[in-house]
Amino acid sequence: LARVYPRSIVPEWYPLGSTHDLIGRDRDCSVLIRDKTVSRFHAEIELINDRRQITNRSVEAPIKINGHCAPAFVLRHLDQIQIGRIVLQYLEKGSREAEHMYDRFERFALDVETGARNQQALIYSLTQELKSLDEIDRDLSLLMLDIDDVDAISERLGEDASDWIMRSCCAHVQKLIRARRDVLGRYSENSFGLLLPATSQEGSEVVAQRIRESLDRKIFRLNQRRFGLEVNIGIASTGIETRITGDRLLDQARLELERARDERDGLYY
């Protein structure tokens, strides 16, 4: 599914699962749309006889397919789906349009060296999540991570080692977070931001500790050398404050990261 309205700076698309997807603004939806005009569980897409069928699950608002109300509909390539004020387009996997959408997403949203989101896409996701905070979901956390001694390791292992380290670290962290939910993005040359929607301060501390402990155990191999990595993590959370800005949350996470470096315990919040 590709979002076609309202348009955004960063292309938005939602990969579908193999058999079943829920669309809505609840944290348990696999196609999560953080917009107040969308119900918590608005629609469902099921794979039936090799075709995807969409069914309305909202008692408050209908869905429209190509401009017409439809409680249930077998989707075809390029069909447009209106859910609340959001308009999505169904693209068959492998189609020219789907490949074009992914190319746009890759060009505008991905960091070429690591495959994570780039800084622009990370900040855009943070801004969108902050806009959607409400009585149901008030929690949003941001982790800022950097790797100790990347430059020193690069001097020993070669000039391309820093990119390899960032790419490998990113791939490892991706395995530890929620797919299609959490957002990992490269924030600077040696740092990442990790956006954790619907995650409290306590929950983000658990995630941060899991990342640190997993990286502590991980042995990396490059140019016939074995080495480990240490990561520093700063944590910032909205708590009950729903009017916090993205700049303020970023500043708080960066400040806590600096404290983590200075305290040398690798974790601060």
Side-chain angles (χ1 to χ4, degrees):
L1 296 178
R3 178 167 169 166
V4 296
Y5 180 85
R7 287 191 177 275
S8 61
I9 298 173
V10 177
E12 293 188 49
W13 72 322
Y14 309 90
L16 296 176
S18 58
T19 59
H20 174 265
D21 288 277
L22 282 173
I23 305 174
R25 62 184 178 88
D26 188 271
R27 66 185 68 178
D28 291 329
C29 291
S30 53
V31 179
L32 181 65
I33 302 177
R34 309 287 287 183
D35 188 276
K36 290 181 173 62
T37 65
V38 175
S39 300
R40 292 183 63 197
F41 299 99
H42 205 120
E44 181 178 20
I45 294 180
E46 297 175 283
L47 186 65
I48 302 174
N49 296 328
D50 295 326
R51 301 293 301 276
R52 293 193 187 269
Q53 176 175 299
I54 186 168
T55 304
N56 187 29
R57 297 300 185 203
S58 173
V59 297
E60 303 168 355
I63 61 173
K64 291 184 178 180
I65 308 296
N66 302 323
H68 302 285
C69 292
F73 190 85
V74 176
L75 293 170
R76 299 164 299 184
H77 182 52
L78 301 180
D79 278 341
Q80 291 200 347
I81 307 162
Q82 182 174 349
I83 299 177
R85 74 185 187 101
I86 306 299
V87 179
L88 308 171
Q89 188 169 48
Y90 175 67
L91 304 177
E92 291 281 2
K93 185 177 181 180
S95 67
R96 181 180 61 183
E97 291 81 6
E99 294 296 329
H100 175 68
M101 172 56 66
Y102 184 75
D103 287 344
R104 285 189 63 227
F105 177 78
E106 193 173 45
R107 186 165 63 251
F108 287 103
L110 295 185
D111 176 65
V112 176
E113 293 170 346
T114 64
R117 302 287 178 91
N118 58 29
Q119 187 190 75
Q120 178 187 16
L122 176 67
I123 293 175
Y124 174 80
S125 296
L126 172 60
T127 303
Q128 294 302 107
E129 289 292 342
L130 285 169
K131 285 180 180 178
S132 68
L133 293 179
D134 54 25
E135 290 83 4
I136 297 173
D137 287 329
R138 293 192 172 193
D139 293 318
L140 176 66
S141 295
L142 175 66
L143 308 187
M144 197 66 72
L145 309 85
D146 79 349
I147 303 169
D148 267 346
D149 301 325
V150 171
D151 293 337
I153 295 173
S154 297
E155 289 179 6
R156 296 199 309 268
L157 300 181
E159 60 181 14
D160 296 331
S162 59
D163 289 339
W164 185 92
I165 290 169
M166 295 299 287
R167 185 165 56 251
S168 300
C169 184
C170 172
H172 188 78
V173 172
Q174 288 280 20
K175 297 175 183 178
L176 303 174
I177 62 179
R178 298 171 295 184
R180 299 197 292 178
R181 189 72 178 92
D182 301 332
V183 179
L184 180 66
R186 191 170 189 175
Y187 188 75
S188 66
E189 184 177 0
N190 294 336
S191 68
F192 289 106
L194 175 57
L195 188 61
L196 303 172
T199 304
S200 65
Q201 175 78 25
E202 294 76 13
S204 64
E205 292 168 17
V206 172
V207 174
Q209 194 63 46
R210 182 167 69 240
I211 291 172
R212 288 205 71 228
E213 291 175 354
S214 180
L215 283 171
D216 282 345
R217 296 191 300 266
K218 174 72 174 176
I219 301 299
F220 293 88
R221 294 175 176 84
L222 178 65
N223 296 341
Q224 299 181 338
R225 301 279 190 90
R226 292 159 52 94
F227 58 94
L229 296 175
E230 293 185 4
V231 63
N232 302 303
I233 305 178
I235 304 173
S237 299
T238 57
I240 61 173
E241 187 176 356
T242 58
R243 294 188 178 182
I244 190 170
T245 65
D247 287 341
R248 183 175 168 188
L249 203 64
L250 280 166
D251 287 343
Q252 184 180 342
R254 286 194 296 256
L255 176 62
E256 300 303 339
L257 177 60
E258 290 293 336
R259 294 176 68 185
R261 291 193 193 111
D262 294 342
E263 296 290 333
R264 304 306 297 171
D265 66 353
L267 187 62
Y268 226 98
Y269 43 86

